[in-house]
PDB file of all heavy atoms in Angstrom:
ATOM      1  N   ARG C 318       3.321  -0.305 -16.925  1.00 97.00           N
ATOM      2  CA  ARG C 318       3.897   0.635 -17.896  1.00 97.00           C
ATOM      3  C   ARG C 318       3.788   2.058 -17.356  1.00 97.00           C
ATOM      4  O   ARG C 318       2.792   2.422 -16.743  1.00 97.00           O
ATOM      5  CB  ARG C 318       3.187   0.538 -19.237  1.00 97.00           C
ATOM      6  CG  ARG C 318       3.399  -0.782 -19.928  1.00 97.00           C
ATOM      7  CD  ARG C 318       2.742  -0.794 -21.313  1.00 97.00           C
ATOM      8  NE  ARG C 318       2.781  -2.114 -21.890  1.00 97.00           N
ATOM      9  CZ  ARG C 318       3.847  -2.637 -22.501  1.00 97.00           C
ATOM     10  NH1 ARG C 318       4.942  -1.934 -22.627  1.00 97.00           N
ATOM     11  NH2 ARG C 318       3.799  -3.858 -22.988  1.00 97.00           N
ATOM     12  N   VAL C 319       4.818   2.850 -17.615  1.00 98.00           N
ATOM     13  CA  VAL C 319       4.854   4.214 -17.112  1.00 98.00           C
ATOM     14  C   VAL C 319       3.815   5.071 -17.827  1.00 98.00           C
ATOM     15  O   VAL C 319       3.803   5.157 -19.054  1.00 98.00           O
ATOM     16  CB  VAL C 319       6.260   4.835 -17.296  1.00 98.00           C
ATOM     17  CG1 VAL C 319       6.272   6.293 -16.859  1.00 98.00           C
ATOM     18  CG2 VAL C 319       7.303   4.021 -16.536  1.00 98.00           C
ATOM     19  N   ILE C 320       2.945   5.679 -17.038  1.00 97.00           N
ATOM     20  CA  ILE C 320       1.977   6.649 -17.555  1.00 97.00           C
ATOM     21  C   ILE C 320       2.569   8.045 -17.446  1.00 97.00           C
ATOM     22  O   ILE C 320       2.479   8.846 -18.365  1.00 97.00           O
ATOM     23  CB  ILE C 320       0.657   6.589 -16.757  1.00 97.00           C
ATOM     24  CG1 ILE C 320      -0.008   5.238 -16.928  1.00 97.00           C
ATOM     25  CG2 ILE C 320      -0.279   7.718 -17.168  1.00 97.00           C
ATOM     26  CD1 ILE C 320      -1.180   5.014 -15.978  1.00 97.00           C
ATOM     27  N   ASP C 321       3.196   8.321 -16.304  1.00 96.00           N
ATOM     28  CA  ASP C 321       3.785   9.635 -16.066  1.00 96.00           C
ATOM     29  C   ASP C 321       4.837   9.499 -14.975  1.00 96.00           C
ATOM     30  O   ASP C 321       4.784   8.592 -14.149  1.00 96.00           O
ATOM     31  CB  ASP C 321       2.711  10.638 -15.646  1.00 96.00           C
ATOM     32  CG  ASP C 321       3.160  12.083 -15.766  1.00 96.00           C
ATOM     33  OD1 ASP C 321       4.217  12.346 -16.394  1.00 96.00           O
ATOM     34  OD2 ASP C 321       2.470  12.973 -15.231  1.00 96.00           O
ATOM     35  N   ALA C 322       5.797  10.396 -14.991  1.00 97.00           N
ATOM     36  CA  ALA C 322       6.834  10.445 -13.964  1.00 97.00           C
ATOM     37  C   ALA C 322       7.209  11.907 -13.745  1.00 97.00           C
ATOM     38  O   ALA C 322       7.130  12.713 -14.677  1.00 97.00           O
ATOM     39  CB  ALA C 322       8.061   9.646 -14.406  1.00 97.00           C
ATOM     40  N   ASN C 323       7.621  12.228 -12.537  1.00 96.00           N
ATOM     41  CA  ASN C 323       8.017  13.609 -12.291  1.00 96.00           C
ATOM     42  C   ASN C 323       9.498  13.817 -12.627  1.00 96.00           C
ATOM     43  O   ASN C 323      10.224  12.877 -12.968  1.00 96.00           O
ATOM     44  CB  ASN C 323       7.666  14.043 -10.870  1.00 96.00           C
ATOM     45  CG  ASN C 323       8.505  13.380  -9.798  1.00 96.00           C
ATOM     46  OD1 ASN C 323       9.377  12.546 -10.063  1.00 96.00           O
ATOM     47  ND2 ASN C 323       8.248  13.741  -8.549  1.00 96.00           N
ATOM     48  N   LYS C 324       9.925  15.069 -12.539  1.00 95.00           N
ATOM     49  CA  LYS C 324      11.294  15.424 -12.912  1.00 95.00           C
ATOM     50  C   LYS C 324      12.332  14.725 -12.040  1.00 95.00           C
ATOM     51  O   LYS C 324      13.381  14.314 -12.522  1.00 95.00           O
ATOM     52  CB  LYS C 324      11.480  16.943 -12.819  1.00 95.00           C
ATOM     53  CG  LYS C 324      10.698  17.731 -13.842  1.00 95.00           C
ATOM     54  CD  LYS C 324      10.909  19.225 -13.679  1.00 95.00           C
ATOM     55  CE  LYS C 324      10.068  19.730 -12.538  1.00 95.00           C
ATOM     56  NZ  LYS C 324       9.978  21.173 -12.424  1.00 95.00           N
ATOM     57  N   CYS C 325      12.018  14.563 -10.762  1.00 97.00           N
ATOM     58  CA  CYS C 325      12.966  13.921  -9.855  1.00 97.00           C
ATOM     59  C   CYS C 325      13.186  12.452 -10.245  1.00 97.00           C
ATOM     60  O   CYS C 325      14.313  11.962 -10.215  1.00 97.00           O
ATOM     61  CB  CYS C 325      12.483  14.041  -8.414  1.00 97.00           C
ATOM     62  SG  CYS C 325      13.682  13.422  -7.220  1.00 97.00           S
ATOM     63  N   PHE C 326      12.114  11.757 -10.635  1.00 98.00           N
ATOM     64  CA  PHE C 326      12.256  10.376 -11.084  1.00 98.00           C
ATOM     65  C   PHE C 326      13.156  10.328 -12.322  1.00 98.00           C
ATOM     66  O   PHE C 326      14.089   9.510 -12.395  1.00 98.00           O
ATOM     67  CB  PHE C 326      10.887   9.763 -11.401  1.00 98.00           C
ATOM     68  CG  PHE C 326      10.967   8.346 -11.891  1.00 98.00           C
ATOM     69  CD1 PHE C 326      10.925   7.288 -10.999  1.00 98.00           C
ATOM     70  CD2 PHE C 326      11.095   8.071 -13.244  1.00 98.00           C
ATOM     71  CE1 PHE C 326      11.013   5.976 -11.444  1.00 98.00           C
ATOM     72  CE2 PHE C 326      11.180   6.767 -13.701  1.00 98.00           C
ATOM     73  CZ  PHE C 326      11.143   5.720 -12.796  1.00 98.00           C
ATOM     74  N   ALA C 327      12.880  11.185 -13.278  1.00 96.00           N
ATOM     75  CA  ALA C 327      13.682  11.213 -14.511  1.00 96.00           C
ATOM     76  C   ALA C 327      15.147  11.499 -14.200  1.00 96.00           C
ATOM     77  O   ALA C 327      16.048  10.835 -14.726  1.00 96.00           O
ATOM     78  CB  ALA C 327      13.112  12.251 -15.476  1.00 96.00           C
ATOM     79  N   SER C 328      15.395  12.450 -13.327  1.00 96.00           N
ATOM     80  CA  SER C 328      16.760  12.809 -12.964  1.00 96.00           C
ATOM     81  C   SER C 328      17.461  11.679 -12.206  1.00 96.00           C
ATOM     82  O   SER C 328      18.624  11.361 -12.478  1.00 96.00           O
ATOM     83  CB  SER C 328      16.731  14.074 -12.099  1.00 96.00           C
ATOM     84  OG  SER C 328      18.016  14.392 -11.640  1.00 96.00           O
ATOM     85  N   LEU C 329      16.755  11.051 -11.283  1.00 98.00           N
ATOM     86  CA  LEU C 329      17.331   9.969 -10.486  1.00 98.00           C
ATOM     87  C   LEU C 329      17.836   8.831 -11.364  1.00 98.00           C
ATOM     88  O   LEU C 329      18.900   8.267 -11.124  1.00 98.00           O
ATOM     89  CB  LEU C 329      16.284   9.440  -9.492  1.00 98.00           C
ATOM     90  CG  LEU C 329      16.683   8.255  -8.617  1.00 98.00           C
ATOM     91  CD1 LEU C 329      17.846   8.620  -7.683  1.00 98.00           C
ATOM     92  CD2 LEU C 329      15.489   7.777  -7.802  1.00 98.00           C
ATOM     93  N   PHE C 330      17.072   8.524 -12.421  1.00 98.00           N
ATOM     94  CA  PHE C 330      17.425   7.385 -13.269  1.00 98.00           C
ATOM     95  C   PHE C 330      18.050   7.780 -14.607  1.00 98.00           C
ATOM     96  O   PHE C 330      18.401   6.908 -15.399  1.00 98.00           O
ATOM     97  CB  PHE C 330      16.210   6.481 -13.468  1.00 98.00           C
ATOM     98  CG  PHE C 330      15.791   5.818 -12.185  1.00 98.00           C
ATOM     99  CD1 PHE C 330      14.656   6.235 -11.514  1.00 98.00           C
ATOM    100  CD2 PHE C 330      16.564   4.812 -11.619  1.00 98.00           C
ATOM    101  CE1 PHE C 330      14.282   5.638 -10.315  1.00 98.00           C
ATOM    102  CE2 PHE C 330      16.207   4.210 -10.422  1.00 98.00           C
ATOM    103  CZ  PHE C 330      15.057   4.631  -9.762  1.00 98.00           C
ATOM    104  N   GLY C 331      18.201   9.072 -14.859  1.00 98.00           N
ATOM    105  CA  GLY C 331      18.917   9.534 -16.048  1.00 98.00           C
ATOM    106  C   GLY C 331      18.139   9.483 -17.347  1.00 98.00           C
ATOM    107  O   GLY C 331      18.723   9.504 -18.426  1.00 98.00           O
ATOM    108  N   TYR C 332      16.829   9.396 -17.256  1.00 97.00           N
ATOM    109  CA  TYR C 332      15.987   9.346 -18.443  1.00 97.00           C
ATOM    110  C   TYR C 332      15.257  10.669 -18.648  1.00 97.00           C
ATOM    111  O   TYR C 332      15.012  11.398 -17.702  1.00 97.00           O
ATOM    112  CB  TYR C 332      14.909   8.257 -18.303  1.00 97.00           C
ATOM    113  CG  TYR C 332      15.410   6.860 -18.404  1.00 97.00           C
ATOM    114  CD1 TYR C 332      15.645   6.115 -17.260  1.00 97.00           C
ATOM    115  CD2 TYR C 332      15.619   6.262 -19.639  1.00 97.00           C
ATOM    116  CE1 TYR C 332      16.092   4.802 -17.344  1.00 97.00           C
ATOM    117  CE2 TYR C 332      16.069   4.946 -19.725  1.00 97.00           C
ATOM    118  CZ  TYR C 332      16.299   4.234 -18.575  1.00 97.00           C
ATOM    119  OH  TYR C 332      16.739   2.940 -18.668  1.00 97.00           O
ATOM    120  N   SER C 333      14.854  10.915 -19.883  1.00 95.00           N
ATOM    121  CA  SER C 333      13.906  12.009 -20.131  1.00 95.00           C
ATOM    122  C   SER C 333      12.510  11.438 -19.893  1.00 95.00           C
ATOM    123  O   SER C 333      12.310  10.213 -19.918  1.00 95.00           O
ATOM    124  CB  SER C 333      14.017  12.524 -21.571  1.00 95.00           C
ATOM    125  OG  SER C 333      13.506  11.557 -22.471  1.00 95.00           O
ATOM    126  N   LEU C 334      11.561  12.308 -19.672  1.00 92.00           N
ATOM    127  CA  LEU C 334      10.188  11.847 -19.467  1.00 92.00           C
ATOM    128  C   LEU C 334       9.671  11.110 -20.696  1.00 92.00           C
ATOM    129  O   LEU C 334       8.964  10.114 -20.587  1.00 92.00           O
ATOM    130  CB  LEU C 334       9.282  13.019 -19.104  1.00 92.00           C
ATOM    131  CG  LEU C 334       9.639  13.711 -17.780  1.00 92.00           C
ATOM    132  CD1 LEU C 334       8.724  14.906 -17.535  1.00 92.00           C
ATOM    133  CD2 LEU C 334       9.594  12.754 -16.614  1.00 92.00           C
ATOM    134  N   ALA C 335      10.068  11.569 -21.882  1.00 95.00           N
ATOM    135  CA  ALA C 335       9.633  10.916 -23.123  1.00 95.00           C
ATOM    136  C   ALA C 335      10.180   9.489 -23.217  1.00 95.00           C
ATOM    137  O   ALA C 335       9.516   8.590 -23.730  1.00 95.00           O
ATOM    138  CB  ALA C 335      10.066  11.735 -24.331  1.00 95.00           C
ATOM    139  N   GLU C 336      11.392   9.271 -22.711  1.00 96.00           N
ATOM    140  CA  GLU C 336      12.005   7.946 -22.786  1.00 96.00           C
ATOM    141  C   GLU C 336      11.315   6.911 -21.899  1.00 96.00           C
ATOM    142  O   GLU C 336      11.330   5.728 -22.212  1.00 96.00           O
ATOM    143  CB  GLU C 336      13.483   8.016 -22.386  1.00 96.00           C
ATOM    144  CG  GLU C 336      14.360   8.697 -23.404  1.00 96.00           C
ATOM    145  CD  GLU C 336      15.777   8.848 -22.906  1.00 96.00           C
ATOM    146  OE1 GLU C 336      15.988   9.449 -21.835  1.00 96.00           O
ATOM    147  OE2 GLU C 336      16.688   8.335 -23.594  1.00 96.00           O
TER     148      GLU C 336
END
Side-chain angles (χ1 to χ4, degrees):
R318 294 184 188 279
V319 176
I320 296 170
D321 197 12
N323 70 359
K324 292 179 281 191
C325 186
F326 179 90
S328 175
L329 177 63
F330 293 106
Y332 288 99
S333 71
L334 297 177
E336 289 175 303

